[in-house]
Amino acid sequence: MLRSLSDSKGAVAVLAAISIAVLMSFVALGTDIGYIYTVRNHLQNAADSSAMAGAAYLYLSDRTQAVTQATAAAIDYASKNKAANAPVVITSQDIEFLPAESEHPIQIKVTARRTNATNNPV
């Protein structure tokens, strides 16, 4: 019986090493997920501020002028926000005016994203 106990001296060290590795993996995963949610919240804030800045120009009677100025304001306000320590970049394709065919749009929708396609992935 004493011989079998002396043979398992290193077993605790192996189990401890495996347990620490698994625990560190969960900590790393939790950190990454937290970072992704933080960046998502920053992008949401940038999209909200851009939409509100653009909405200030929707009262203009000329649709072309309203869309042009609202787009410029939305792009400007997006660049003043940061996500993942970089300015948020949106283009005119990320801005949508609703109703689309209306003479006087009453809503603006801004989509902010970070992807490989725009060279700013998270």
Side-chain angles (χ1 to χ4, degrees):
M1 179 137 168
L2 291 175
R3 182 174 182 155
S4 65
L5 288 177
S6 65
D7 289 344
S8 62
K9 284 184 181 177
V12 173
V14 171
L15 288 175
I18 292 172
S19 298
I20 288 172
V22 170
L23 182 63
M24 293 301 286
S25 298
F26 281 118
V27 169
L29 179 66
T31 302
D32 287 344
I33 290 173
Y35 180 71
I36 288 170
Y37 276 103
T38 299
V39 171
R40 189 186 96 178
N41 287 338
H42 290 168
L43 288 171
Q44 183 66 52
N45 290 340
D48 290 344
S49 68
S50 295
M52 291 192 330
Y57 294 95
L58 295 181
Y59 71 91
L60 298 173
S61 59
D62 181 24
R63 178 182 170 78
T64 305
Q65 184 181 13
V67 167
T68 302
Q69 289 186 357
T71 301
I75 291 171
D76 180 46
Y77 271 78
S79 68
K80 293 179 181 180
N81 289 279
K82 287 190 175 189
N85 295 323
V88 175
V89 177
I90 62 170
T91 63
S92 58
Q93 289 80 23
D94 297 324
I95 302 169
E96 182 180 351
F97 294 93
L98 303 168
E101 301 302 322
S102 172
E103 180 65 30
H104 300 288
I106 57 173
Q107 294 177 358
I108 182 173
K109 178 182 174 184
V110 177
T111 304
R113 60 178 68 97
R114 296 187 66 92
T115 62
N116 284 333
T118 56
N119 288 331
N120 59 355
V122 174

